[in-house]
Amino acid sequence: MIWNILKRELIYLWYYFEVQLSQIFWYWIIGMAIGSLISVFAKDQIHAAFGKINSRRWGVFGIIPACVLGIASPLCMYGTIPIAASFSRQGMRDDWLAAFMMASILLNPQLIVYSAALGATVLTVRIVSCFLCGCAAGLAVHFLYRDRPFFNFIGFTERESHDTDPNLLMRYLKSFGRNVKATGLYFLFGVLLSALFQRYVPQDAVTAAFGGNRAWGVLMAATVGVPLYACGGGTIPLLRQWMVQGMSLGSAAAFMITGPATKITNLGALKIVLGVKRFAAYLLFTVLFAFLTGMVTNLLI
């Protein structure tokens, strides 16, 4: 009797897992393919373009190209911080660096492709909100730390690139393989979680948590994003299922900001660079911006 019940539930879970996987798998593959392509063939050009803005007198408006290039950069935070440290030693302004780093934390070309699985509206909201968050971070540093240094990059040096194979095809394939290794388990786990939610969590429960009371739902999503986010590819299947079950677009937008911004692997490096007080300010800024973004999104869309 128990075995029959267990067997039936496993069949249901496999069905939901297979359905979820088939709906999102190619976004993951194409995202990795494009991310590796940019990493191998365009990463140095993107960072060189960021370095070139240092020679221009754009003032605070340099925050805008810094955000754009931060989103275009394929590096994770551990790769971005050494790059930012190098630019800081060359005299790059802290507000531009803050905008570049914040945008780079929140979004990259690979994650943009992943997010397309959530639909054009969600993708647009994610790109716009991440860009604005980077701009807001740059402005906050500009006005609050005008005469004081914000970052402490002592001890951070630019890492050697993994993309060094003289054969371009092999260089690309190795990069793609590292992408699969880094995101594969998280992606499959995210698909499994979405299947578990589809099978065992009632739609009303998701709506009540993330959709029914809009302010409460946004706050819940912003809060849940802090401990739950481990990998962008892993959370896309879960977000997709939550939205099917009633999560508001504003709650999804809040989650997509606090999640990557408070990812555990990012926080350790950021705490070293920022120090305790500025690190606490960073966390507060992230949660507040995510909440306001979610509320505005629910009002406008």
Side-chain angles (χ1 to χ4, degrees):
M1 180 68 174
I2 295 177
W3 169 246
N4 288 335
I5 294 173
L6 180 60
K7 184 178 179 181
R8 183 189 66 191
E9 291 305 311
L10 287 174
I11 290 172
Y12 273 120
L13 281 178
W14 173 251
Y15 169 75
Y16 290 132
F17 180 89
E18 193 175 26
V19 169
Q20 296 280 359
L21 184 64
S22 66
Q23 292 173 341
I24 202 169
F25 177 77
W26 288 109
Y27 290 98
W28 177 58
I29 293 294
I30 294 170
M32 289 190 298
I34 292 176
S36 295
L37 193 69
I38 293 173
S39 180
V40 171
F41 297 106
K43 176 178 63 181
D44 292 340
Q45 288 81 354
I46 291 169
H47 296 151
F50 182 51
K52 286 179 181 178
I53 71 172
N54 199 31
S55 61
R56 302 185 180 184
R57 297 180 179 180
W58 287 9
V60 70
F61 293 103
I63 288 171
I64 296 173
C67 283
V68 173
L69 293 169
I71 290 173
S73 174
L75 293 179
C76 65
M77 181 44 51
Y78 271 103
T80 299
I81 287 179
I83 290 290
S86 174
F87 286 131
S88 180
R89 285 190 284 271
Q90 296 171 30
M92 181 77 74
R93 296 165 51 129
D94 277 357
D95 52 352
W96 294 4
L97 288 172
F100 176 81
M101 291 173 65
M102 190 79 222
S104 182
I105 289 174
L106 295 178
L107 202 56
N108 57 55
Q110 191 164 312
L111 193 51
I112 288 174
V113 178
Y114 289 163
S115 301
L118 302 174
T121 302
V122 180
L123 176 61
T124 302
V125 168
R126 182 163 210 173
I127 293 173
V128 172
S129 63
C130 290
F131 171 78
L132 292 177
C133 189
C135 290
L139 289 172
V141 170
H142 176 78
F143 288 110
L144 299 179
Y145 288 84
R146 184 186 296 271
D147 300 317
R148 294 175 292 163
F150 185 73
F151 297 106
N152 177 15
F153 289 115
I154 295 175
F156 284 92
T157 57
E158 192 168 346
R159 300 187 306 175
E160 292 184 6
S161 174
H162 292 293
D163 302 317
T164 56
D165 195 296
N167 184 302
L168 291 180
L169 177 60
M170 288 304 299
R171 190 186 303 179
Y172 175 77
L173 292 176
K174 287 179 179 180
S175 177
F176 186 85
R178 287 193 299 271
N179 248 330
V180 174
K181 184 178 179 180
T183 65
L185 287 178
Y186 292 112
F187 172 73
L188 293 175
F189 185 65
V191 175
L192 176 60
L193 279 181
S194 65
L196 289 169
F197 264 86
Q198 188 172 0
R199 175 61 179 163
Y200 298 115
V201 180
Q203 180 171 334
D204 291 346
V206 177
T207 302
F210 300 126
N213 183 322
R214 292 194 169 188
W216 173 253
V218 170
L219 183 60
M220 278 288 292
T223 305
V224 167
V226 175
L228 189 61
Y229 197 98
C231 171
T235 54
I236 295 299
L238 194 56
L239 266 175
R240 193 173 186 278
Q241 183 57 36
W242 281 348
M243 295 190 74
V244 169
Q245 291 181 282
M247 184 185 215
S248 71
L249 181 54
S251 295
F255 182 91
M256 289 187 290
I257 290 174
T258 58
T262 59
K263 184 180 173 183
I264 295 298
T265 53
N266 290 339
L267 294 184
L270 283 172
K271 187 176 179 181
I272 296 172
V273 169
L274 298 178
V276 175
K277 291 183 179 179
R278 283 165 293 179
F279 178 70
Y282 165 80
L283 294 178
L284 180 62
F285 165 83
T286 298
V287 173
L288 285 176
F289 188 90
F291 178 74
L292 290 173
T293 297
M295 294 300 295
V296 171
T297 299
N298 277 340
L299 286 173
L300 297 180
I301 302 177

